[in-house]
Amino acid sequence: MGHESDEVAYAADEAGRGKSESEPAVLDRTASNQIGEMNLESSHQLKRGLKSRHIQFLALGGAIGTGLFVGSGQILATTGPAPLFMAYLSMMLCVWVVMNDLAEMVTYLPMKGISIPYFVGRFVEPSLAFASGWNYWYAYAMLIGAECTAGAIILQYWTTAVPVAVWIAIQLLVILFLNIIAVSFFGEAEFWFASVKLLTIIGLIILGIVLFFGGGPTHDPLYFRYWRDPPGAFVPYLVGGSTGRFLAYWTALVRAGFSFITSPELIALSAGETVAPRRNIPKAARRFVWRLAVFYGLGSLVIGVVVPNDDDRLLSGDSNASASPYVIGIARAGIPVLNHIINAAILTSAWSAGNAFCYSGSRVLYSMALNGQAPRWFALTTRRGVPWVAVGFTLLIGCLAFLNVSNGGAEVFQWFTNISTISGFIAWIVVMVTYLRFRRAMARRGMLEALPFRTPLQPYATYAALLLISLLTLTNGFQVFFPSQWSASSFLAAYITIPIFLALYLGHKIVYRTPLAIRTDDVDVLSGKKEMDDMCAAEVEPVPRNWVQKAWFWLA
């Protein structure tokens, strides 16, 4: 799952410090509703040290996490292996569209300090940008609780003698320590954590292929045994027949979103530090999606091969004796010790993700405080520049993980995944609306051909993805409306995010009397373009001197 890197810290740190002289008067906003303006002087632009392979690595490390390692087991237990596989591939199409939308915008304007709310405020209107900023913080805070819950679940694989509250408290204290005291180690730690996650998923895919063909200790080929044996590839959900199979797929699709939220934004937010951004951002965006499709496609297929969906150790509402499906598959294959090694690797994934979400969420809150989007005291920092109030408040929301004490781990994990997934879906909806406004403004000025990166099937792919994600957002908790499935807690987890977002949006609009949307003719698509054109024109594309370099340039 997606974690933010240092770019989030300054995604709006420079907000409001400079105003582009070519910006139309209609965008002249006060500090209280300002989203962020860019200082375009070369001395104020970030040092560009990130290459295509760096930002792909950051994004892949952020996207591969507990959603795949733990959450996939919940999907498998509920819906079966076929919906699990289909849902991840389907969600990849949505990620592809969102990634393309962001890549087109940030490749056009790869400036320092760009953030999603900045583009929303510039191309749509300030109130939506305000709500979007708070929505990102809300998502990160809830994701801390999700990761701590996942960590407690993973630790309980080894022992249930230790109260779950102890595991959660230890995780939260470590996250607090790393974000307040040892923040200087954050970047280096995240690099190694991402390395562990990538090596782990590659190893698990290879292991799954070996077990598929009978390379395990028992030499019994698994093939697609668990897709054929009862209950089969599909587990009808709530009702029988084809309707039940469709509901299983739809449920899997909603839950698969948890694995990808905030991940497309990573490449976009790194544009300000990327070497030759108009060459490397499109390259990274294209390859990130395909590589992620391979990891999630093969990774989810392996899960359905090595574990039957009715294994009572899977994370499900009926059983709290839970573990990662990969660990269960290794144990079922009779491979000694390896299950504990993989469980430890997955634990580091959950722990590092929780740390990264606290870092990202606190910096988003800090940035909003600087812009007048949040109370000023969230901008208070230590002598080392750590926004300790923002860190503490973000981590306080993460303490909702202690709900595990009075509820099952599977149930609480589902609450957190629902809440954070819908926040992520709302963020994607805002991104797609922003892109459509940006594209319309460019078309109105006859500037579409000026885009340095254009993606296929636009704007139709964005309209289709916008419709699908909107439907998923509105129907994500459909099961609670079945009489036998009603639960007030599940209803709130599924839908509480929507009224919170609307309250932020409408409240800001009423207070500051912002327009419904900036008129298309007044949308500013010119500020920063000349400076970025000049910067990119001065770049020299490396020329490979031999076939080894040619292959490396293509791969990386």
Side-chain angles (χ1 to χ4, degrees), residues 32-79:
S32 60
N33 66 2
Q34 195 170 5
I35 297 306
E37 309 303 337
M38 302 298 112
N39 188 325
L40 299 171
E41 295 295 328
S42 60
S43 61
H44 286 270
Q45 292 297 302
L46 296 175
K47 177 177 174 58
R48 295 182 180 271
L50 292 178
K51 298 180 181 179
S52 174
R53 64 179 181 274
H54 295 148
I55 52 182
Q56 288 181 74
F57 196 82
L58 285 170
L60 282 172
I64 298 172
T66 52
L68 178 61
F69 291 137
V70 179
S72 56
Q74 194 172 42
I75 300 174
L76 177 65
T78 304
T79 67

Side-chain angles (χ1 to χ4, degrees), residues 61-281:
I64 298 172
T66 52
L68 178 61
F69 291 137
V70 179
S72 56
Q74 194 172 42
I75 300 174
L76 177 65
T78 304
T79 67
L84 170 67
F85 179 63
M86 293 164 57
Y88 276 126
L89 292 185
S90 300
M91 190 54 64
M92 277 306 311
L93 293 176
C94 293
V95 174
W96 176 70
V97 173
V98 174
M99 176 68 75
N100 285 345
D101 292 352
L102 288 168
E104 282 197 31
M105 291 188 289
V106 301
T107 303
Y108 178 69
L109 294 171
M111 301 179 299
K112 171 189 177 178
I114 54 175
S115 64
I116 310 305
Y118 168 74
F119 282 125
V120 178
R122 178 166 170 170
F123 300 140
V124 188
E125 61 95 20
S127 294
L128 189 62
F130 171 81
S132 176
W134 275 102
N135 180 64
Y136 273 112
W137 172 80
Y138 174 76
Y140 290 132
M142 288 298 173
L143 282 166
I144 296 172
E147 297 300 335
C148 288
T149 299
I153 287 169
I154 294 165
L155 285 161
Q156 285 187 309
Y157 177 78
W158 287 306
T159 178
T160 57
V162 179
V164 67
V166 173
W167 294 132
I168 293 170
I170 291 173
Q171 292 179 89
L172 290 171
L173 287 173
V174 170
I175 291 172
L176 179 64
F177 172 77
L178 290 174
N179 275 272
I180 295 291
I181 307 298
V183 71
S184 60
F185 299 112
F186 174 83
E188 191 67 22
E190 284 306 302
F191 171 82
W192 290 107
F193 281 136
S195 302
V196 169
K197 285 190 278 190
L198 288 173
L199 291 174
T200 299
I201 189 60
I202 291 171
L204 290 171
I205 289 172
I206 294 172
L207 177 63
I209 294 171
V210 170
L211 294 177
F212 181 88
F213 290 107
T218 62
H219 301 292
D220 178 23
L222 294 176
Y223 299 134
F224 287 101
R225 176 185 304 172
Y226 302 133
W227 291 55
R228 296 191 306 268
D229 296 346
F234 283 85
V235 178
Y237 187 60
L238 298 179
V239 297
S242 58
T243 302
R245 289 191 290 273
F246 172 77
L247 292 180
Y249 165 72
W250 194 255
T251 300
L253 186 58
V254 171
R255 296 183 181 182
F258 174 70
S259 300
F260 301 104
I261 56 171
T262 75
S263 63
E265 290 89 336
L266 278 167
I267 286 180
L269 291 170
S270 65
E273 281 192 291
T274 303
V275 174
R278 290 187 174 171
R279 184 175 74 248
N280 284 321
I281 292 294

Side-chain angles (χ1 to χ4, degrees), residues 221-444:
L222 294 176
Y223 299 134
F224 287 101
R225 176 185 304 172
Y226 302 133
W227 291 55
R228 296 191 306 268
D229 296 346
F234 283 85
V235 178
Y237 187 60
L238 298 179
V239 297
S242 58
T243 302
R245 289 191 290 273
F246 172 77
L247 292 180
Y249 165 72
W250 194 255
T251 300
L253 186 58
V254 171
R255 296 183 181 182
F258 174 70
S259 300
F260 301 104
I261 56 171
T262 75
S263 63
E265 290 89 336
L266 278 167
I267 286 180
L269 291 170
S270 65
E273 281 192 291
T274 303
V275 174
R278 290 187 174 171
R279 184 175 74 248
N280 284 321
I281 292 294
K283 182 179 178 181
R286 285 191 294 261
R287 296 185 180 183
F288 163 76
V289 172
W290 289 113
R291 290 172 182 177
L292 199 61
V294 169
F295 285 137
Y296 270 94
L298 291 178
S300 59
L301 190 62
V302 162
I303 291 171
V305 166
V306 301
V307 184
N309 76 284
D310 57 356
D311 191 298
D312 60 8
R313 289 170 292 182
L314 285 171
L315 187 66
S316 69
D318 298 325
S319 171
N320 204 41
S322 46
S324 167
Y326 292 106
V327 173
I328 296 170
I330 292 169
R332 289 180 66 92
I335 303 173
V337 182
L338 184 60
N339 57 325
H340 298 292
I341 295 174
I342 296 300
N343 204 54
I346 294 172
L347 177 61
T348 65
S349 171
W351 217 324
S352 73
N355 183 46
F357 290 139
C358 183
Y359 181 91
S360 302
S362 63
R363 268 52 178 190
V364 167
L365 190 57
Y366 170 73
S367 299
M368 289 191 295
L370 290 180
N371 296 335
Q373 300 280 341
R376 296 291 299 175
W377 38 272
F378 285 128
L380 294 176
T381 61
T382 65
R383 285 180 296 177
R384 294 186 177 184
V386 177
W388 63 275
V389 179
V391 169
F393 189 68
T394 302
L395 202 59
L396 185 65
I397 305 301
C399 288
L400 289 172
F402 283 109
L403 288 169
N404 281 274
V405 175
S406 57
N407 298 276
E411 185 179 18
V412 174
F413 184 73
Q414 186 58 50
W415 291 345
F416 280 121
T417 56
N418 275 355
I419 291 171
S420 52
T421 299
I422 300 311
S423 290
F425 283 169
I426 291 173
W428 288 356
I429 290 170
V430 173
V431 165
M432 289 185 279
V433 169
T434 302
Y435 170 76
L436 291 172
R437 292 280 299 168
F438 165 73
R439 184 183 175 88
R440 178 177 295 180
M442 293 292 285
R444 181 69 62 88

